Amino acid sequence: MTHDTEWYYNLVTGQVEQYEGGRAEDRLGPYRSREEAQQALEHAQLRNEQWENDPRFNDPDEDDADGDGESDWGTSAFDTFKP
């Protein structure tokens, strides 16, 4: 794709725009067509649902690295290294 054929969905404005639009961190894309960019939020929601329901990412034992029976999700890397 070249810049003149790229489309983006702007999360701030809710508008579809081409390359010269808003800031990169405010946009989803690039997409091949304006219509595809208009469906960006639906595509993102579908990918999120697929990820949340993927058993490779929902193994409860993986979150218990120290074996204490409690999830370690959200702990700092420094919390795992105790003298």
Side-chain angles (χ1 to χ4, degrees):
M1 276 191 291
T2 61
H3 293 309
D4 60 335
T5 61
E6 295 176 345
W7 292 89
Y8 298 84
Y9 180 84
N10 189 311
L11 295 164
V12 175
T13 66
Q15 301 295 315
V16 172
E17 55 194 33
Q18 287 192 294
Y19 180 77
E20 291 80 18
R23 300 177 337 152
E25 49 275 338
D26 294 336
R27 304 191 303 177
L28 298 176
Y31 296 96
R32 295 175 192 215
S33 69
R34 179 179 193 84
E35 294 76 25
E36 195 176 329
Q38 287 172 326
Q39 298 175 355
L41 292 180
E42 290 86 6
H43 290 294
Q45 179 64 32
L46 179 62
R47 285 191 304 270
N48 287 344
E49 289 172 5
Q50 290 171 340
W51 181 81
E52 289 169 0
N53 294 314
D54 189 325
R56 294 174 297 169
F57 299 106
N58 278 327
D59 185 356
D61 296 331
E62 281 187 23
D63 293 340
D64 185 18
D66 60 8
D68 67 357
E70 296 180 12
S71 174
D72 298 326
W73 183 256
T75 59
S76 165
F78 297 107
D79 293 338
T80 59
F81 297 104
K82 297 180 181 171

